[in-house]
Amino acid sequence: GRHLLAIINDLLDLARIESGKVDLTLEPVDCGQVVAEVADSLRPLAATKGLTFRVEGPAEPVAALADRRALSQILINLAGNAIKFTQQGRVAITFCEASGQPGTVRIQVTDTGPGIPPQEREQLFSAFHRVAGTNRQEGTGLGLHISQNLAELLGARLSLTSTPGAGSTFSVDIPQP
């Protein structure tokens, strides 16, 4: 039942985004609070798998110009995937002002999972794309596509660095207010 509800919600989100009917309210958002809420919701899943789950960021507030719900959804998709595909090791969410990019906040989700092969990266953010060889029964292949579209609507940039066999890092660069 939960899996079917997740599929339906993904399809509805995709339909809203592609029809231009997503209502975003861009306002200053404390990235530390959003990251903490996402981490609190996903920590039990990481614990069930025996993964170390960390959050790192400065003690002082780091604000981004974003829609809180959209930013949360992006981070839940990224961190949820990291947990889903990492069999052992760790998942971390970090945030800070992006070095070398004034006026930008960078939030990263890093894992010690299988990594993403270079031949898969070009299609990774396409709708319904699933990485070959993952043999996962759950998921629709929409999470990264929705995340990238939401990031674009926020004026943010979503990127990936990955080493097969050593893990991946997804970065979201978001403008500051």
Side-chain angles (χ1 to χ4, degrees):
R2 284 189 199 121
H3 177 64
L4 290 175
L5 180 60
I7 290 172
I8 290 167
N9 285 332
D10 283 349
L11 290 171
L12 290 171
D13 287 340
L14 181 61
R16 277 191 293 273
I17 290 169
E18 291 187 350
S19 70
K21 299 203 185 287
V22 175
D23 293 324
L24 299 180
T25 302
L26 297 180
E27 59 188 5
V29 173
D30 182 342
C31 293
Q33 288 178 349
V34 174
V35 167
E37 290 167 7
V38 168
D40 288 346
S41 71
L42 294 175
R43 193 167 271 114
L45 180 59
T48 299
K49 292 187 72 177
L51 300 174
T52 300
F53 190 76
R54 292 189 341 241
V55 171
E56 298 174 9
E60 64 276 354
V62 176
L65 185 62
D67 178 274
R68 185 180 192 87
R69 188 193 64 75
L71 181 57
S72 292
Q73 185 173 0
I74 292 167
L75 296 179
I76 286 169
N77 286 342
L78 297 178
N81 279 351
I83 293 167
K84 181 182 355 179
F85 293 108
T86 301
Q87 298 307 312
Q88 60 184 8
R90 66 177 170 74
V91 172
I93 304 175
T94 60
F95 64 97
C96 62
E97 293 184 16
S99 60
Q101 295 183 50
T104 304
V105 174
R106 174 166 290 160
I107 304 175
Q108 294 184 305
V109 177
T110 304
D111 64 58
T112 56
I116 298 167
Q119 66 273 17
E120 293 285 341
R121 294 178 195 161
E122 187 174 317
Q123 296 295 322
L124 191 64
F125 295 100
S126 299
F128 304 107
H129 181 77
R130 296 171 67 179
V131 174
T134 57
N135 294 324
R136 301 295 301 185
Q137 297 300 318
E138 57 194 67
T140 58
L142 287 175
L144 290 177
H145 181 69
I146 290 169
S147 294
Q148 181 165 35
N149 282 297
L150 287 172
E152 288 173 5
L153 291 171
L154 294 174
R157 184 174 155 278
L158 180 59
S159 61
L160 162 72
T161 57
S162 186
T163 303
S168 300
T169 298
F170 285 87
S171 300
V172 184
D173 291 338
I174 309 166
Q176 289 185 298

